[in-house]
Structures are given as C-alpha cells and as structure tokens.
C-alpha cells in the first residue's frame, strides 16, 4: 500500500489545486520500483490501489456535487463516487500489470511503458461515453515550454513524455546507470524544452489583429439557477451587467456563460424574460452570444438542446451552436435501469438531446468566425479539432462550473481548456457562470483569469490567428505510432521465443 498511495499523493500534488507540476515527472516511480519486491501476481493490485489514490485526487469532488444537487445521502454519494474512482483505477492497474510483463533490463522498457500509458489514456477518452478528466499531461498546463509539444501531439504527447521519463528514471535508479536508460529520454526532454522556448518567443513576436470581447460572469449559484421564481431576477441581473460592461468597455462581442438564462429561449412562453435581453443587442449595438436552452414548454417529449444563441445588432438570432457531447448523469442518464437513483441530477435542468455537429459561427457584419464548445466538451481534444476544420479565428468555451463549488474541479477544468488552446493554435475565450472565466493565448499563456464565485464583467483583446497546428491538421498520429511500436515489440518477443 505504501508505494501505491505515495504514487497517488505525488500525482495529486502535480495537478490543480496544488499545481506542483514537476512532481508529475516522478509520480510513477513508486509503482515501477515496487515491482521488484512484490510477486508478479500482486502487480495488478498494486496498480489498483495506486489508481484509486490517483482517482481520488482527480474526482473526489463528485461526492459533494451528488449530495448538493443530486439529492443523494452521504452514503449514496460516497459509494457512487467510489465506484467511479474504482473504474478510473482500472487503467493504472492495467498499466502496472502490463509493465510487469516487460523486460525491465531492456532500453526499450521505458518506451514501451510510455506507449502503454498513452494508449490507456486514449481508451479513457471514449470508453463508456468517455471521462478523460485530468490526464497525466494536463499537469503541465503551467509548464509553458513543454506545453508547446501539445501543438504537435496533443495532450497525449505530454503524457507519453512524462511516462517515458518516469520509466527511464526508474530503470536508471534500479540498475544504477544513466547512459543506457536515461540518456536518450533526457536528450528528448531537453530538446523539446528548447524548442518550446523557441516557439514561445516566436509567438510572442507575432502581432495578429485582435477583437475586443466582453465576458459576463453572472455568478448564480446552482441551488438558485434553475428556480422558476428566480427567472425575472436572472434576466434583470444579466441585463444590468451587460449595460455596465458595454458602457465601461465597449466590446465588439459579448459572451454569456452556459445556460445563463435557464429557460427555453425560443419559446414565446418565456418572452417576458428573454425580450429584455434580446433588446440589448440593438440598444448597445453589440452582438451577444447567449447560453440558454432550445425546447418546447408545451411538449416535454420534444428534444431539448443546450445551446449558445448568436444575436446580431438587429435583435435577431442569426446562428447557434449546440452542445454535442453531453455530460453523463448531469444532462442525460446512461443505463437508467442501473442509475435511476441519480435522476435527481437532471430533475431541474431536464434531460438533453445532443446536437448534430460542431460548427463555427460568423460574427455579424464581419469576416471573423469563432468555434464554440460548451462546458464538458473542453476535456475532449477531438472536439476542438473538429472545430478547427472550419478554420475559425478564435474559440469560445461557455460553461457552468457552479456544480463543483470551491473544490479543485473548476481549476482542473480550466487547466484542460489551456491545452485546447495550444493544440488548436487558437485563443480561447471562456465565460463561466461562477468562474473561472478568462482568455488563454494560443501559446497557453493565461492572459486573464477571473476569481471563483465573484460577479465580474471585463473585456479581453482576443488575438485572431489563422493556419493550423500539426495536431489540428493530422490529429493523434502519436497513438498510431504507439500502437505500431507495441505491436512490433510483441511480434519480436514471439519470434524470439520461437
């Protein structure tokens, strides 16, 4: 238990809220060294305990969310969270068990271990709807030089590099030799660091055109957000904040958070609450991107979409972007025959229908376009890659992180947005209901970040970029390389045994 729990502790210190990102480079050492004093049969259990500790650092906050907004008792919320953490732990257990079958004396061990780790992270991205929350590579979101690697490989490249260095260091320590095991990984690490510094400097020298974008952080707590008797207050609140922002900053676009108006925006029944907001665009002569719902109040069987509406300066809804990848248990209930007791999470907001596709929106009366991804979609790199096929000038992320309270989750969510900016080579503007709202540069520099649970209005000058990063253009080539490399290793071992 000691090396397993120690591994989980080191990893947890490397991610938000702690952000000691350098600890990630040694977080796998206890697992890889413990294999030498444990029987092979216990390696899976070793990884399972470690994975449980890792998962607790990544997802402990879910228990609080389930209690506050899912109407679950403490035992129910705690056991449900443990079930999710156990699922997350299986990946670390599989990694540890797979590494036990590799030759620890071979210089290829570290490269094989890193390939296994990276492919397991990819599986987390799609298995059971996908929950790639706070993967190993996200720990480096503040490490700007190495962060640039994600423009080539995505977050998986960072995870690969970290796992590689961990495994090579474990070999060097155990065999007490650096040149055989650690020299090449350190050379790669140093080269990528220098290249990252070069890329950062080159990007800092660029002077692209900018767009002044206003952001409204309404700061409405989750326990009040969906109350029908709060709709008039919510509408007036956003109208007041919008006028304040427009008067002080005069932005060229104003962005509201996800579901800023928790109602069916298109439905005439809610016109008393939506009309004052719609009227703001022509009054202020500023387009507004507004988060709300699309549905039918008279027909509860009709599909409901989590949508961002684009309102032009004539007060017309000229376009929209739907949330395509929905949150399991928060926006729809998977396997309801098993998880019926979690329906309280969707009781107030309702069950949503996923949108058809991700697309870019055109800013009215301009040749500027922007791609929109909503909340949970920020943890999936393929979503921003899909948006990049439309070659937008910048990206917009709207979210409501009020679910998470003051836990580490809002900070972890924000860290993943930083990676999306570097991967896509586009600035990301983020509007969050309770924070963190702000601007991330295409280099990963955080140009502005709001506080949590504060009512704020501010504007940011968003750089407008063109062109495609290697990752945006070619995608997850690294995963193919990892799979081919492992296939060759397996083939060679079988031939050698024969």
């Amino acid at each position: 238990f000691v090396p397993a729990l120690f591994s989980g502790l080191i990893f947890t210190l490397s991610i938000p809220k702690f952000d000691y990102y350098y600890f990630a480079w040694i977080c796998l050492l206890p697992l890889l060294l413990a294999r030498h004093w444990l029987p092979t049969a216990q390696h899976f259990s070793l990884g399972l305990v470690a994975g449980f500790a890792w998962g607790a650092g990544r997802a402990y906050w879910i228990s609080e969310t389930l209690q506050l907004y899912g109407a679950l008792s403490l035992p129910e919320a705690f056991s449900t969270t443990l079930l999710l953490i156990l699922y997350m732990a299986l990946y670390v257990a599989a990694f540890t068990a797979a590494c036990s079958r590799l030759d620890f004396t071979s210089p290829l061990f570290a490269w094989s271990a890193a390939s296994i780790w990276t492919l397991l992270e990819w599986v987390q991205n799609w298995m059971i709807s996908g929950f790639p929350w706070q993967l190993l590579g996200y720990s480096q979101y503040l490490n700007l030089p190495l962060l640039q690697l994600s423009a080539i490989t995505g977050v998986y490249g960072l995870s690969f590099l970290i796992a590689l260095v961990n495994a090579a260091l474990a070999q060097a320590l155990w065999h007490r030799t650096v040149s055989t095991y650690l020299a090449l990984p350190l050379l790669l690490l140093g080269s990528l660091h220098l290249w990252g510094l070069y890329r950062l400097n080159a990007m800092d020298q660029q002077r692209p055109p900018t767009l002044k974008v206003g952001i409204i952080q309404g700061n409405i707590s989750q326990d009040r957000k969906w109350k029908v008797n709060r709709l008039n207050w919510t509408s007036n609140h956003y109208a007041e904040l919008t006028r304040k922002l427009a008067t002080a900053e005069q932005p060229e676009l104003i962005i509201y958070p996800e579901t800023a108006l928790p109602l069916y925006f298109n439905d005439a029944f809610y016109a008393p609450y939506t009309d004052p907001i719609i009227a703001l665009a022509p009054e202020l002569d500023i387009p507004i991107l507004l988060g709300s719902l699309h549905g039918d109040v008279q027909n509860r069987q009709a599909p409901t979409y989590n949508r961002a509406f684009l309102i032009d300066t004539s007060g017309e809804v000229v376009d929209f972007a739907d949330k395509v990848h929905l949150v399991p248990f928060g926006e729809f209930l998977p396997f309801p025959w098993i998880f019926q007791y979690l329906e309280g999470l969707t009781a107030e907001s309702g069950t949503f229908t996923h949108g058809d596709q991700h697309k870019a929106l055109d800013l009215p009366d301009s040749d500027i376009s922007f791609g929109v991804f909503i909340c949970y979609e920020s943890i999936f790199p393929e979503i921003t890659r899909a948006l990049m096929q439309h070659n937008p000038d910048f990206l917009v992320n709207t979210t409501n992180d009020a679910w998470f309270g003051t836990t580490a989750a809002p900070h972890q969510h924000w860290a993943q947005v930083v990676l999306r900016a570097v991967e896509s080579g586009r600035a990301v503007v983020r509007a969050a209901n309770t924070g963190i709202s702000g601007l991330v540069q295409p280099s990963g520099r955080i140009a502005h970040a709001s506080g949590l649970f504060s009512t704020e209005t501010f504007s940011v000058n968003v750089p407008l970029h063109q062109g495609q990063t290697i990752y945006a253009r070619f995608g997850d080539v690294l995963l193919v390389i990892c799979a081919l490399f492992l296939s060759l290793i397996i083939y060679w071992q079988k031939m050698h045994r024969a």
Side-chain angles (χ1 to χ4, degrees):
F1 287 101
V2 172
L5 295 177
F6 190 48
S7 174
L9 172 63
I10 297 173
F11 169 75
T12 301
L13 290 174
S14 74
I15 63 175
K17 293 182 180 181
F18 297 103
D19 284 329
Y20 300 128
Y21 60 81
Y22 37 84
F23 279 133
W25 300 92
I26 59 171
C27 65
L28 291 173
L29 277 181
L31 293 183
L32 296 171
L33 292 175
R35 56 177 279 160
H36 296 288
W37 60 78
L38 285 176
T40 303
Q42 293 185 16
H43 288 182
F44 183 86
S45 300
L46 170 72
L48 194 65
V49 175
F52 210 88
W54 281 54
R58 295 161 66 190
Y60 75 91
W61 45 268
I62 290 177
S63 179
E64 179 179 319
T65 299
L66 293 176
Q67 291 177 70
L68 292 176
Y69 310 117
L72 267 63
S73 65
L74 175 60
E76 289 174 321
F78 187 70
S79 58
T80 302
T81 303
L82 287 181
L83 183 63
L84 173 62
I85 292 174
L86 178 60
Y87 162 73
M88 298 166 74
L90 290 175
Y91 292 95
V92 182
F95 168 77
T96 308
C99 286
S100 69
R101 297 177 177 272
L102 301 175
D103 182 4
F104 195 70
T105 64
S106 170
L108 296 178
F109 170 84
W111 302 86
S112 301
S115 297
I116 293 169
W117 182 273
T118 305
L119 290 174
L120 285 171
E121 286 198 341
W122 170 70
V123 174
Q124 293 178 65
N125 194 67
W126 54 265
M127 180 67 73
I128 316 178
S129 179
F131 190 64
W133 184 270
Q134 203 60 46
L135 302 177
L136 183 56
Y138 289 119
S139 64
Q140 304 303 299
Y141 81 103
L142 294 177
N143 187 353
L144 285 177
L146 286 180
L147 184 61
Q148 306 312 304
L149 175 61
S150 58
I152 301 175
T153 63
V155 66
Y156 298 120
L158 288 168
S159 295
F160 178 92
L161 187 63
I162 296 169
L164 173 69
V165 172
N166 270 273
L169 183 58
Q171 285 185 288
L173 289 173
W174 185 259
H175 298 293
R176 299 183 181 179
T177 176
V178 172
S179 58
T180 305
Y181 304 109
L182 200 54
L184 189 56
L186 286 182
L187 178 62
L188 177 62
L189 178 64
S191 300
L192 289 173
H193 189 273
L194 290 174
W195 175 80
L197 290 172
Y198 169 80
R199 186 175 190 268
L200 280 171
N201 181 67
M203 297 191 75
D204 288 343
Q205 299 302 316
Q206 297 177 4
R207 294 293 182 269
T210 61
L211 179 76
K212 193 172 187 179
V213 176
I215 300 172
I216 295 180
Q217 184 169 298
N219 190 32
I220 301 177
S221 62
Q222 195 65 17
D223 59 344
R224 295 187 302 163
K225 183 178 179 65
W226 296 97
K227 303 299 183 186
V228 176
N229 61 359
R230 301 284 302 182
L231 289 178
N232 188 58
W233 181 91
T234 298
S235 178
N236 291 335
H237 179 61
Y238 273 99
E240 179 183 344
L241 292 176
T242 304
R243 289 193 177 92
K244 174 184 175 183
L245 173 63
T247 301
E249 302 288 346
Q250 297 182 336
E252 298 167 88
L253 171 68
I254 293 177
I255 300 176
Y256 286 15
E258 176 192 22
T259 57
L261 296 185
L263 45 76
Y264 295 145
F265 188 77
N266 59 298
D267 199 299
F269 179 82
Y270 293 105
Y273 312 112
T274 59
D275 286 351
I277 301 296
I278 294 173
L280 288 173
E283 174 191 333
L284 303 173
D285 196 32
I286 303 172
I288 297 175
L289 182 70
L290 184 148
S292 190
L293 306 179
H294 176 87
D296 187 346
V297 73
Q298 300 297 330
N299 180 12
R300 292 295 180 178
Q301 302 305 313
T304 300
Y305 297 95
N306 187 343
R307 180 169 290 182
F309 296 85
L310 181 59
I311 306 169
D312 68 7
T313 53
S314 66
E316 298 292 327
V317 176
V318 293
D319 210 342
F320 63 87
D322 284 334
K323 190 172 186 178
V324 178
H325 197 127
L326 302 176
V327 182
F329 309 108
E331 293 174 319
F332 76 100
L333 196 63
F335 312 114
W337 58 92
I338 301 175
F339 297 111
Q340 192 67 40
Y341 72 100
L342 292 174
E343 63 181 355
L345 286 169
T346 60
E348 291 183 308
S349 59
T351 300
F352 295 113
T353 302
H354 65 81
D356 293 330
Q357 62 179 349
H358 294 98
K359 62 181 182 179
L361 308 182
D362 294 322
L363 184 67
D365 302 319
S366 78
D367 58 356
I368 297 172
S369 67
F370 56 93
V372 179
F373 56 107
I374 300 174
C375 193
Y376 184 65
E377 294 183 323
S378 63
I379 73 174
F380 297 96
E382 65 271 17
I383 289 178
T384 44
R385 279 197 62 237
L387 288 170
M388 287 304 298
Q389 304 311 306
H390 304 281
N391 203 32
D393 296 284
F394 66 100
L395 298 174
V396 172
N397 175 228
T398 62
T399 189
N400 172 34
D401 286 358
W403 296 90
F404 307 143
T406 57
T407 66
H411 304 275
Q412 294 175 356
H413 203 186
W414 170 251
Q416 294 169 99
V417 173
V418 173
L419 267 292
R420 303 292 86 85
V422 183
E423 290 170 348
S424 62
R426 292 294 186 273
V428 178
V429 183
R430 191 174 197 249
N433 172 29
T434 55
I436 302 169
S437 304
L439 171 67
V440 182
Q441 303 279 3
S443 64
R445 292 189 190 277
I446 298 172
H448 186 97
S450 69
L452 281 178
F453 291 96
S454 60
T455 304
E456 299 187 31
T457 61
F458 58 91
S459 65
V460 290
N461 292 314
V462 182
L464 308 177
H465 286 268
Q466 286 294 307
Q468 299 274 341
T469 62
I470 293 176
Y471 182 73
R473 181 172 299 176
F474 299 106
D476 294 313
V477 176
L478 175 65
L479 296 174
V480 178
I481 295 173
C482 288
L484 289 175
F485 177 76
L486 289 175
S487 298
L488 289 173
I489 292 294
I490 293 171
Y491 175 77
W492 180 84
Q493 287 181 341
K494 286 185 176 181
M495 292 296 294
H496 184 70
R497 289 168 185 166

